[in-house]
Amino acid sequence: MIKFAQMSAEQSSVSQNKGIPVAEPLVEVRRGGITESRHRGHVIAMEPDGNMVAQLGAFETVTFLRSSAKPFQALPLVVSGAADRFGFTEREVALACASHNGEPIHTELAASMLKKIGLGPEALKCGVHEPYSVEAAQQLRERGEAPNALHNNCSGKHAGMLALALHWNAPIETYNKAEHPVQIAIGKAIARFSGVPIEDLAVGIDGCAVPVFGMSVRAMALAYARLVAPPSSFEQTTREACARIVRVMSTYPELIGGTSDRLDTEIMRAAPGLLVSKVGAEGVYTAGILPSEKWPRGLGLALKIEDGDDRRARPTVVIEALRQLGVLRDESLEAVARYAFFPVLNRPGEVVGEVRAHFELNRAGH
Amino acid sequence: MIKFAQMSAEQSSVSQNKGIPVAEPLVEVRRGGITESRHRGHVIAMEPDGNMVAQLGAFETVTFLRSSAKPFQALPLVVSGAADRFGFTEREVALACASHNGEPIHTELAASMLKKIGLGPEALKCGVHEPYSVEAAQQLRERGEAPNALHNNCSGKHAGMLALALHWNAPIETYNKAEHPVQIAIGKAIARFSGVPIEDLAVGIDGCAVPVFGMSVRAMALAYARLVAPPSSFEQTTREACARIVRVMSTYPELIGGTSDRLDTEIMRAAPGLLVSKVGAEGVYTAGILPSEKWPRGLGLALKIEDGDDRRARPTVVIEALRQLGVLRDESLEAVARYAFFPVLNRPGEVVGEVRAHFELNRAGH
């Protein structure tokens, strides 16, 4: 097993050229017997005490958590007592952790959260986009309705942030600003779980206009390991909040993504109660594997597709990594087979190629 | 200057890992002061005699020409006399080289080509997809019409292949098969211009169900250098056909792409008569720069985005490579500025990052 302090240059290979870390080939796009295109990236799995169990690529590469931050963005909402004070249900707490599809089951919950705190959709700063769900978007169009902020995949997260601002008597107009108490509390939680000092976190602005935090892919994996198996040194309220967030995410996978066709949802459905799964934009993926026979201490998995692809590269890499780690097996692997491999079709519909994962994680100590 | 025979392992760096050639970082996706994602690839510029003038990445990487093959797929149509026999106009020859938008100006030309050879759209084997043009697709929907094969971006190419089959009294039902005389003639043309023996070309099936040929990125650049400045050893009919194809592509850029928003079209509009520009699927790009003061012998440029991205990586790399080669300057560079750099916006519309080319071509001998 390799400890934190030992992970340095010798594990993280550096390109001869320009000092840019080497991202490893992970996915092949095949046609006519050759690899036409290739996706690279970084993958790492960590135990909560900092032991690295598998890796590939330059896992010290710093990138943004994006929506993989959502469980940690919901944490202060729960720890503070705000979620209970406003009577948020378990499903509403789940929606605070979601990148949801904008289906009615999601927008109704977001509206309910806002109603409980006495606000309307106009208080949300996340902006507006069409529902991710093609069906939900089409239904809106057929009714001649424009999408609103409730359809934004982050509306539950933002409703939770507003609840916390109210709970703390902090301004609600500026809840999305980096200097706001809500965002400071989130930054502290992310620093603590990732093991990265808060002053060393990269900070940018996310698609939904709140601060987004950057760290190494390794630190992301550690944060997820600690989410599912928080250290005993963390106070009880925090450990209980982690357990609650893990429970609501794995109990309501359709709220985290959607009723169908969403990677997180299908993985959590395929392995019920075994893990929490959360995608982030630009090809980020994180999962927390609950303690079990295979991984008795729990496990955090994080990966980044270097080029940001979430269409064909991320799903194939995620399924293959979970397979190699022994997390998805047999029926659970069958259930997500559609994400493990994509045929390449021509316009008349014939199979002329394939997209497939092609890598082997380096195992450390196991 | 480095000659063909000298280009071997020392120019084409090979990864320590698994022997996969190292694609060089070309594009940075920046947010919050860090590079969030990165696109890699291979770039090379060649003179028609095989002199390499600039390169970056592993230019010996073999990939498919995809739609960058189109000028060469149109070549036998012209050389054989079929285009003249059927009275194809210069605009119709241009459409045979196009990846067009499916706008009325394109579908009407494709229909006209078919009419001249006595066939209808049902003879096209390219399959059906919605027009690339968002406007044209919306107009179809508003009229309650389904797209047909004429809207396929390759319909002009396929109409040309059918014309050649008829000209040679070859079967028209199988014109898209690898063993058909039309495809064999195209394979021979591509082998000749690229300098790759026909038996060494990779062969797959393209999105439009015809054979697609694979070769190194270097060989692609050479083929385009020879398209704009064919060697005097090539017979006159071939050299004249090259001149005609180059002329129609640069004279009718709106037919090669569309009336707006298409990279090839905008580049050829920005530098009228200076070059032919042709994108291919999976992040391929090729251009032939006509002999001029800057490049008196003419130049072929080819590049491949390793991960296949054509949305944000290819355009920025294309513009930057043409800038570094001195092909686009001053006003012509200004005219394509929208492809050189992309802001990253959040949902409320604020700029939170940027996509920008970040590389320097290695120059050889100049």
Side-chain angles (χ1 to χ4, degrees), chain A residues 29-31 34-38, chain B residues 63-64 66 282 304:
Chain A
V29 181
R30 305 271 306 171
R31 180 189 300 260
I34 67 168
T35 298
E36 182 170 25
S37 295
R38 180 175 278 123
Chain B
T63 190
F64 286 112
R66 307 300 301 270
E282 290 289 337
K304 161 76 179 174

Side-chain angles (χ1 to χ4, degrees), chain A residues 10-337:
Chain A
E10 74 270 18
Q11 273 86 37
S12 175
S13 59
V14 171
S15 164
Q16 298 306 303
N17 200 315
K18 299 180 185 175
I20 291 172
V22 172
E24 284 297 317
L26 298 176
V27 175
E28 295 180 345
V29 181
R30 305 271 306 171
R31 180 189 300 260
I34 67 168
T35 298
E36 182 170 25
S37 295
R38 180 175 278 123
H39 296 274
R40 296 172 185 260
H42 322 288
V43 187
I44 183 166
M46 307 278 294
E47 288 181 318
D49 61 357
N51 293 321
M52 181 176 69
V53 302
Q55 55 82 15
L56 192 61
F59 49 76
E60 295 293 352
T61 299
V62 171
T63 190
F64 285 112
L65 268 174
R66 307 298 302 270
S67 284
S68 285
K70 279 172 176 163
F72 303 102
Q73 288 169 314
L75 204 63
L77 172 72
V78 175
V79 171
S80 68
D84 287 335
R85 168 176 162 187
F86 292 110
F88 285 171
T89 64
E90 296 296 70
R91 298 178 75 238
E92 288 165 346
V93 175
L95 198 75
C97 304
S99 299
H100 67 72
N101 253 355
E103 300 173 66
I105 59 163
H106 307 114
T107 54
E108 287 163 14
L109 270 183
S112 163
M113 293 170 78
L114 288 170
K115 193 174 171 198
K116 287 178 178 177
I117 60 174
L119 295 173
E122 68 286 352
L124 299 170
K125 303 282 188 195
C126 49
V128 177
H129 63 79
E130 280 215 324
Y132 283 172
S133 160
V134 176
E135 215 172 28
Q138 197 179 327
Q139 286 166 354
L140 268 187
R141 276 195 300 272
E142 286 171 5
R143 289 200 303 270
E145 290 175 26
N148 60 49
L150 296 174
H151 297 97
N152 184 305
N153 78 91
C154 306
S155 62
K157 176 177 84 171
H158 281 248
M161 289 174 174
L162 280 165
L164 184 54
L166 287 170
H167 183 64
W168 281 341
N169 292 315
I172 58 166
E173 298 75 20
T174 53
Y175 76 88
N176 64 322
K177 300 299 177 194
E179 62 278 11
H180 191 280
V182 166
Q183 303 303 334
I184 291 170
I186 289 168
K188 284 183 180 169
I190 286 174
R192 187 180 198 191
F193 278 78
S194 66
V196 179
I198 194 160
E199 62 273 18
D200 293 343
L201 289 172
V203 183
I205 301 173
D206 212 338
C208 66
V210 298
V212 60
F213 298 99
M215 62 190 64
S216 69
V217 184
R218 175 183 58 68
M220 293 179 183
L222 181 64
Y224 268 77
R226 289 175 165 181
L227 176 68
V228 294
S232 55
S233 62
F234 285 14
E235 59 277 13
Q236 194 178 345
T237 49
T238 297
R239 285 184 281 128
E240 286 175 358
C242 289
R244 185 170 174 189
I245 283 168
V246 167
R247 185 175 67 242
V248 300
M249 289 180 73
S250 59
T251 305
Y252 304 108
E254 72 282 4
L255 297 179
I256 304 307
T259 53
S260 64
D261 281 358
R262 290 292 304 273
L263 182 66
D264 287 327
T265 301
E266 300 302 340
I267 288 175
M268 290 192 284
R269 280 176 173 165
L274 283 186
L275 80 171
V276 290
S277 172
K278 192 68 205 70
V279 294
E282 289 289 338
V284 166
Y285 178 81
T286 45
I289 291 95
L290 277 75
S292 65
E293 196 180 336
K294 174 72 184 169
W295 297 107
R297 289 183 279 188
L299 204 65
L301 167 66
L303 63 90
K304 162 75 180 174
I305 306 300
E306 186 185 39
D307 60 69
D309 178 274
D310 56 11
R311 210 167 29 100
R312 61 187 186 182
R314 183 175 61 196
T316 55
V317 174
V318 165
I319 304 302
E320 176 61 12
L322 289 169
R323 188 193 71 75
Q324 289 188 27
L325 291 168
V327 175
L328 294 179
R329 326 166 45 165
D330 307 329
E331 292 88 4
S332 61
L333 206 52
E334 285 288 322
V336 293

Side-chain angles (χ1 to χ4, degrees), chain B residues 270-285:
Chain B
L274 282 187
L275 80 170
V276 290
S277 172
K278 191 70 203 73
V279 294
E282 290 289 337
V284 166
Y285 179 81

Side-chain angles (χ1 to χ4, degrees), chain B residues 46-325:
Chain B
M46 306 277 294
E47 288 181 318
D49 61 357
N51 293 322
M52 181 176 68
V53 302
Q55 55 81 17
L56 192 61
F59 49 75
E60 294 294 353
T61 299
V62 171
T63 190
F64 286 112
L65 268 174
R66 307 300 301 270
S67 284
S68 285
K70 278 170 176 163
F72 304 102
Q73 288 169 314
L75 204 63
L77 172 72
V78 176
V79 171
S80 68
D84 287 334
R85 168 175 162 188
F86 292 109
F88 284 171
T89 63
E90 297 296 71
R91 297 177 77 240
E92 287 166 346
V93 174
L95 199 75
C97 305
S99 298
H100 66 71
N101 254 355
E103 299 173 67
I105 60 162
H106 306 114
T107 55
E108 286 162 16
L109 271 184
S112 163
M113 293 171 76
L114 288 170
K115 194 175 172 197
K116 287 176 178 178
I117 61 174
L119 295 173
E122 67 287 352
L124 299 170
K125 303 281 188 197
C126 50
V128 176
H129 63 79
E130 281 215 323
Y132 283 172
S133 159
V134 175
E135 217 172 26
Q138 197 179 327
Q139 286 167 355
L140 268 187
R141 275 196 301 272
E142 285 171 5
R143 290 200 304 269
E145 289 175 28
N148 60 48
L150 295 174
H151 298 96
N152 185 305
N153 76 91
C154 305
S155 62
K157 176 177 83 172
H158 281 249
M161 289 174 174
L162 280 166
L164 184 55
L166 286 170
H167 182 63
W168 283 340
N169 292 315
I172 58 166
E173 296 76 18
T174 53
Y175 78 87
N176 64 321
K177 299 299 178 195
E179 62 278 10
H180 191 280
V182 166
Q183 302 305 333
I184 290 169
I186 289 168
K188 283 182 179 169
I190 286 174
R192 188 179 198 192
F193 278 77
S194 66
V196 179
I198 194 161
E199 63 272 17
D200 293 343
L201 289 173
V203 183
I205 300 173
D206 212 338
C208 66
V210 298
V212 61
F213 298 98
M215 63 190 64
S216 69
V217 184
R218 176 183 57 70
M220 293 180 184
L222 182 64
Y224 267 77
R226 289 174 164 181
L227 176 68
V228 293
S232 55
S233 61
F234 285 13
E235 59 278 12
Q236 195 177 344
T237 49
T238 297
R239 285 184 281 129
E240 286 175 359
C242 288
R244 185 169 173 189
I245 284 168
V246 167
R247 186 176 65 244
V248 300
M249 288 180 73
S250 59
T251 305
Y252 304 108
E254 72 282 6
L255 297 179
I256 304 308
T259 52
S260 64
D261 279 358
R262 290 292 303 272
L263 183 66
D264 287 328
T265 301
E266 301 301 340
I267 287 175
M268 290 191 284
R269 280 176 173 166
L274 282 187
L275 80 170
V276 290
S277 172
K278 191 70 203 73
V279 294
E282 290 289 337
V284 166
Y285 179 81
T286 45
I289 290 96
L290 278 77
S292 65
E293 197 182 333
K294 173 74 183 170
W295 297 108
R297 290 184 277 188
L299 204 64
L301 167 66
L303 62 89
K304 161 76 179 174
I305 306 299
E306 186 185 41
D307 60 71
D309 178 272
D310 56 11
R311 209 166 32 97
R312 61 186 186 182
R314 182 174 63 195
T316 56
V317 174
V318 165
I319 304 303
E320 176 61 13
L322 288 170
R323 187 192 71 77
Q324 289 188 25
L325 291 168

